């Protein structure tokens, strides 16, 4: 496939995923005082698995940790999962600052994901009584995939980290979608135009902050993990996911990698794409 053809297909995939109207949640709750510290909740509207209380899927949106992107663009995906029988929580978090070109905020982006995870079980019990917060799967796309992997690894953060948790007993697994899973490799590939280096506050902070932020260094987690990756992804190349899986293997942990032929970056969260159904199936395998 020529570069022009590949670029045209990627553009068509991006147009498709952003063509869906945002889907409003059934409820929204705050997990902090900042306006971005909110979670949208979608009640299950179908049957998934063997019955009983619905598993919970926490969705973390992508967008290179940059401010122009928020949870609205992934709301059709959240609704898609709810129609498959999952109870869905879609968390917002603080992204780039006033300059829309900046990726993430240190430490705010990580503060928010940690706080959302800590608040989730109580909010689920309050707002989605038909759901079981003891069966939670994390999923996220692109930059959100990085945050999902990071959130699942909080219990292996370096001692003294303010985000370190005592464990993830309620977490059934992680399904990371085209994740920026290895920050060093992604930085070398200049994924999303320098976003990784910006997330950590700039080049002068990269080495010091990487051990607290890079999922590829936070292994093994002991949590079932699957990466779903399009082979034709031009935004986050396949090499990034494979590097994470290799790091996990070296740490004595097996990570599943589902590679989808002729699939780029966005079909994984596009309800109109076959790849989105594959993602739901991967989540279902871990949720039950």
């Amino acid at each position: 496939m020529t570069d022009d053809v590949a670029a045209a297909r990627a553009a068509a995939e991006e147009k498709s995923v952003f063509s869906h109207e945002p889907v409003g949640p059934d409820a929204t709750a705050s997990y902090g005082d900042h306006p971005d510290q909110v979670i949208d909740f979608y009640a299950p509207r179908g049957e998934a698995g063997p019955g009983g209380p619905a598993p919970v899927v926490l969705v973390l949106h992508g967008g290179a940790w940059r401010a122009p992107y928020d949870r609205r663009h992934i709301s059709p995906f959240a609704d898609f999962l709810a129609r498959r029988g999952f109870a869905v929580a879609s968390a917002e978090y603080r992204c780039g600052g006033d300059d829309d070109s900046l990726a993430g905020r240190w430490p705010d982006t990580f503060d928010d994901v940690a706080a959302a995870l800590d608040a989730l079980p109580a909010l689920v019990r309050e707002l989605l009584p038909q759901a079981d917060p003891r069966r939670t799967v994390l999923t996220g796309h692109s930059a959100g995939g990085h945050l999902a992997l990071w959130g699942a690894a909080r219990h292996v953060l370096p001692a003294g980290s303010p985000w370190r948790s005592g464990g993830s007993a309620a977490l059934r697994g992680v399904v990371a979608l085209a994740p920026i899973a290895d920050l060093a490799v992604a930085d070398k590939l200049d994924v999303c135009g320098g976003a990784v280096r910006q997330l950590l506050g700039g080049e002068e902070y990269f080495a010091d902050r990487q051990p607290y932020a890079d999922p590829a260094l936070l292994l093994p987690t002991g949590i079932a993990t699957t990466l779903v990756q399009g082979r034709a992804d031009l935004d986050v190349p396949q090499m990034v996911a494979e590097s994470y899986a290799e790091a996990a293997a070296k740490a004595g942990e097996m990570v599943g990698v589902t590679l989808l032929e002729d699939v780029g970056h966005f079909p994984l969260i596009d309800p109109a794409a076959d790849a989105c159904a594959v993602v739901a199936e991967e989540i279902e395998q871990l949720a039950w």
Side-chain angles (χ1 to χ4, degrees):
M1 181 182 295
T2 67
D3 290 346
D4 288 344
V5 171
R9 181 170 65 183
E13 291 174 342
E14 182 173 2
K15 182 179 179 180
S16 177
V17 77
F18 285 103
S19 69
H20 304 291
E21 289 294 326
V23 179
D26 296 301
T28 300
S30 298
Y31 63 86
D33 296 330
H34 192 277
D36 287 339
Q37 292 176 319
V38 295
I39 302 176
D40 287 342
F41 291 92
Y42 297 79
R45 291 187 285 282
E47 293 186 5
V56 177
V57 181
L58 177 62
V59 176
L60 295 167
H61 70 80
W65 310 285
R66 291 186 170 121
Y69 302 94
D70 60 23
R71 68 194 187 283
R72 287 175 295 182
H73 85 266
I74 209 168
S75 63
F77 173 70
D79 176 69
F80 174 82
L81 294 178
R83 288 186 279 109
R84 297 283 292 243
F86 299 107
V88 181
S90 181
E92 192 56 81
Y93 54 89
R94 282 172 284 184
C95 296
D98 296 333
D99 184 345
D100 288 349
S101 68
L102 293 179
R105 302 187 198 185
W106 183 278
D108 302 3
T109 300
F110 297 91
D111 286 345
D112 289 356
V113 173
L117 283 166
D118 290 343
L120 183 65
L123 292 175
V124 168
R125 285 191 288 268
E126 176 187 353
L127 298 172
L128 295 176
Q130 66 274 65
D132 185 358
R134 295 171 300 176
R135 291 204 307 269
T136 296
V137 174
L138 292 185
T139 191
H141 178 242
S142 195
H146 157 264
L147 293 173
L149 293 169
W150 177 85
R154 288 172 59 208
H155 59 292
V156 295
L157 280 166
S161 168
W163 306 307
R164 186 179 171 103
S165 67
S168 302
L171 193 59
R172 287 296 181 94
V174 183
V175 179
L177 315 176
I180 305 178
D182 185 318
L183 296 188
V185 171
D187 183 57
K188 289 177 182 177
L189 296 174
D190 196 31
V191 167
C192 300
V196 170
R197 203 157 283 260
Q198 292 171 17
L199 173 69
L200 300 190
E203 183 173 358
E204 64 271 31
Y205 297 108
F206 190 91
D208 289 339
R209 292 175 175 175
Q210 186 189 2
Y212 297 89
D214 191 341
L217 300 182
L218 301 173
L219 293 162
T221 66
I223 295 170
T225 300
T226 298
L227 313 184
V228 185
Q229 176 75 42
R231 287 188 180 274
D233 194 329
L234 301 181
D235 295 276
V236 183
Q238 178 180 330
M239 184 187 307
V240 180
E242 290 178 336
S243 179
Y244 176 87
E246 290 170 5
K250 289 178 182 177
E253 190 163 72
M254 295 302 297
V255 167
V257 181
T258 299
L259 298 174
L260 303 180
E261 296 290 342
D262 301 321
V263 170
H265 192 61
F266 289 103
L268 304 178
I269 58 166
D270 185 351
D274 292 341
C276 198
V278 174
V279 168
E281 291 168 2
E282 295 285 0
I283 292 172
E284 185 169 341
Q285 288 183 25
L286 297 185
W288 292 103

